[in-house]
Amino acid sequence: EISEWNPPFHFVDTQRRGPYRDWIHRHTFHEEGNMTVIKDEVRYRLPFGLLGEIGYPFVRYQIGKIFQFREQAIRRILERGEAA
């Protein structure tokens, strides 16, 4: 769910149901010279209490890989001038 909407500066999506106990993802955009800088901040908690804590290193690694892929995909799209 988009829980905050403030174009062109930022928006926040919040997971209401899903695999995470909490998931809040803030997307921010700002100009730097003739470029737009995109910043992502993700706050999340895993389910299953202390048992879920064991999974943090693995989940953090996977989330890092997801955002790395996303960054590369955005760069490819923008370099080609494609519409999203």
Side-chain angles (χ1 to χ4, degrees), residues 30-37:
H30 71 272
E31 286 185 48
E32 205 168 276
N34 64 347
M35 297 173 28
T36 299
V37 175

Side-chain angles (χ1 to χ4, degrees), residues 42-64:
V42 178
R43 292 180 25 223
Y44 65 93
R45 286 193 314 167
L46 299 177
F48 311 120
L50 291 175
L51 187 58
E53 302 264 338
I54 295 168
Y56 268 108
F58 173 75
V59 172
R60 184 178 194 149
Y61 174 79
Q62 291 299 321
I63 290 172

Side-chain angles (χ1 to χ4, degrees), residues 6 18 24 30 47 50 55 57 60 64 73 76 78-80 84:
N6 186 20
I24 301 168
H30 71 272
L50 291 175
R60 184 178 194 149
R76 279 193 307 272
L78 294 178
E79 286 170 358
R80 292 188 296 220

Side-chain angles (χ1 to χ4, degrees), residues 2 4-6 9-13 25-29:
I2 303 299
E4 285 184 42
W5 180 251
N6 186 20
F9 305 107
H10 77 271
F11 70 95
V12 177
D13 55 82
H25 179 189
R26 176 178 291 274
H27 311 254
T28 58
F29 309 89

